[in-house]
Amino acid sequence: MTSIVPNQWYVAGYGREIGRREEGGDLFSRTICGESILFWRTQAGALTAMSDRCVHRRFPLSEKPSHLVGDTVVCGYHGFTYGADGVCVAVPGQTRVPRTARLRSYPVVEQDSFVWVFIGDPDKAESTRIPRAPWLDQEGWTVVAGMEPLAARASLLVDNLMDLSHETYLHGGYIGTPEVAMTPITTEVDDEAGIVYVSRHMDDAECPPFYAKSTGLSGRIARWQDIEFAPPCLYKLHSRIAPVGSVPNDDGTDPDAFHVEVVYAITPETESSTHDFWMVARDFALDDQGVSGFLAENNRTVVLQDVVALDKLEQVLAGEPDGYQELSINIDTGGLAARRLIDRLAGERAPAGAR
Ligand code: FES
Ligand SMILES: [Fe+2]
């Protein structure tokens, strides 16, 4: 199974990561699905994305002394100069610019605090969905976020996030309590929309430190986990924490509960490494820096626990190139559904006869 599905939008970074570095610092570059991409902003603030390899001799345009001049980027090796669309506008020593001198440029969209980049045939970009995560950039929510590099294939992170029973074992003392692994899940697949839903509602559960310290609730809680995964990249965990017995009102309001939207963007860097973007958005203690600091540090710790485990798993799997026989149980239903949708996305786009 491939981890890279072509002709899809992927999160390349946070909008705030990308700016203009005209003098000094390197320009922003990230490898997405095996492609090294340079990102910068025009003077008007528009995002651009293009190959990070000069067409002349492949020098990376993100490397010093490459730099921006107005709305062009100048290669730091021999001075090939490119516009925001990737087309070369000047070369040294001659006035004629070769017609083929252009960098591959990528469709980009800035939305919900993310920079999305389209990997594949650009003509398919417009008709391909970009999933939403509005809480990340919305009044009434406070967000902490980060990104951890994962030396493991993206599919391992998908498996990991689709089955939260591992919280009890891998994240005990942080977000795991016995009830997570004990409570059965329900799984639904919307085949048409291409979304997997996995729900686990714990109506009387221990409150893990992650939520006790951030919400101030003590004792037993109602803890709902509703996963919504839009393959291949965007994973959302709608988390609801409330006193035992509290349920949302019929009109959808839910004043006694604390809501946390845990969002992951799972972006392959290569076939065997992944950018693990994580965000925690909350609708309470909005201005409390202490809560923000606690959630940021705690969630990063939890993510790193997964990173250590998945890096190890990647080494194990890489050492078994002939494959292995998995043994799946009920908790794996969501992960298996996600794999099926990812395979379908990959298969739909495969050239005829390649299936
Ligand atoms: S490698 Fe860029 S100008 Fe020569
Ligand atoms: Fe985890």
Side-chain angles (χ1 to χ4, degrees):
M1 188 177 78
T2 178
S3 269
I4 296 178
V5 182
N7 297 319
Q8 295 292 325
W9 290 94
Y10 289 93
V11 169
Y14 298 108
R16 62 175 177 276
E17 290 185 281
I18 298 163
R20 287 180 61 80
R21 308 205 191 134
E22 273 155 291
E23 285 152 26
D26 293 342
L27 287 163
F28 184 86
S29 164
R30 194 163 269 157
T31 298
I32 310 288
C33 298
E35 303 187 23
S36 290
I37 304 177
L38 174 78
F39 297 88
W40 51 279
R41 288 183 194 274
T42 65
Q43 287 166 309
L47 262 177
T48 66
M50 58 193 65
S51 169
D52 189 25
R53 297 288 180 267
C54 180
V55 297
H56 179 225
R57 292 292 183 268
R58 305 283 288 164
F59 190 75
L61 297 161
S62 57
E63 290 286 329
K64 275 186 261 185
S66 299
H67 62 285
L68 296 181
V69 175
D71 285 347
T72 63
V73 58
V74 182
C75 178
Y77 195 0
H78 316 91
F80 273 49
T81 301
Y82 303 91
D85 54 3
V87 175
C88 185
V89 293
V91 296
Q94 60 184 62
T95 50
R96 195 188 71 79
V97 176
R99 206 170 30 84
T100 54
R102 60 171 61 213
L103 300 169
R104 175 166 184 194
S105 83
Y106 295 81
V108 273
V109 166
E110 203 164 3
Q111 187 167 277
D112 301 330
S113 82
F114 292 132
V115 172
W116 291 90
V117 65
F118 190 80
I119 302 296
D121 175 356
D123 289 343
K124 296 185 171 156
E126 209 159 316
S127 60
T128 305
R129 79 156 171 216
I130 306 178
R132 300 300 306 258
W135 326 274
L136 301 180
D137 187 17
Q138 197 173 62
E139 189 85 5
W141 294 83
T142 297
V143 183
V144 295
M147 191 279 273
E148 312 307 328
L150 181 67
R153 62 195 76 178
S155 59
L156 292 181
L157 184 55
V158 173
D159 281 352
N160 170 279
L161 290 168
M162 294 307 287
D163 168 23
L164 296 181
S165 63
H166 81 270
E167 288 183 351
T168 304
Y169 299 93
L170 198 53
H171 307 306
Y174 292 87
I175 53 175
T177 69
E179 294 84 4
V180 182
M182 269 160 39
T183 308
I185 52 166
T186 58
T187 304
E188 273 175 53
V189 181
D190 182 336
D191 267 306
E192 206 172 321
I195 296 185
V196 184
Y197 299 92
V198 179
S199 290
R200 174 181 273 121
H201 287 193
M202 297 162 268
D203 289 321
D204 186 352
E206 194 181 306
C207 191
F210 187 81
Y211 289 120
K213 291 207 180 120
S214 56
T215 65
L217 283 181
S218 56
R220 313 267 309 163
I221 54 164
R223 180 180 182 190
W224 294 2
Q225 296 178 319
D226 292 287
I227 295 169
E228 180 182 348
F229 178 47
C233 191
L234 197 71
Y235 169 99
K236 297 174 270 190
L237 167 63
H238 313 293
S239 179
R240 175 182 183 271
I241 307 297
V244 173
S246 153
V247 291
N249 296 323
D250 289 341
D251 64 2
T253 55
D254 196 12
D256 295 335
F258 299 83
H259 300 92
V260 177
E261 298 288 343
V262 185
V263 180
Y264 285 84
I266 304 162
T267 301
E269 177 187 42
T270 65
E271 281 285 359
S272 59
S273 60
T274 305
H275 305 295
D276 184 351
F277 294 95
W278 59 266
M279 295 122 269
V280 178
R282 66 180 192 272
D283 71 350
F284 55 92
L286 296 182
D287 299 319
D288 192 323
Q289 297 296 328
V291 170
S292 291
F294 170 79
L295 287 176
E297 196 202 314
N298 235 251
N299 203 66
R300 180 159 187 269
T301 302
V302 165
V303 170
L304 290 175
Q305 289 169 337
D306 285 321
V307 165
V308 168
L310 298 180
D311 285 2
K312 175 58 69 182
L313 202 43
E314 178 62 40
Q315 290 171 15
V316 170
L317 298 184
E320 297 175 355
D322 296 336
Y324 58 99
Q325 182 65 46
E326 285 182 325
L327 193 162
S328 297
I329 60 171
N330 287 342
I331 57 170
D332 301 306
T333 316
L336 294 175
R339 287 188 196 175
R340 182 168 65 75
L341 287 190
I342 289 171
D343 281 348
R344 191 182 73 179
L345 285 176
E348 270 170 10
R349 308 307 213 271
R355 289 189 205 180

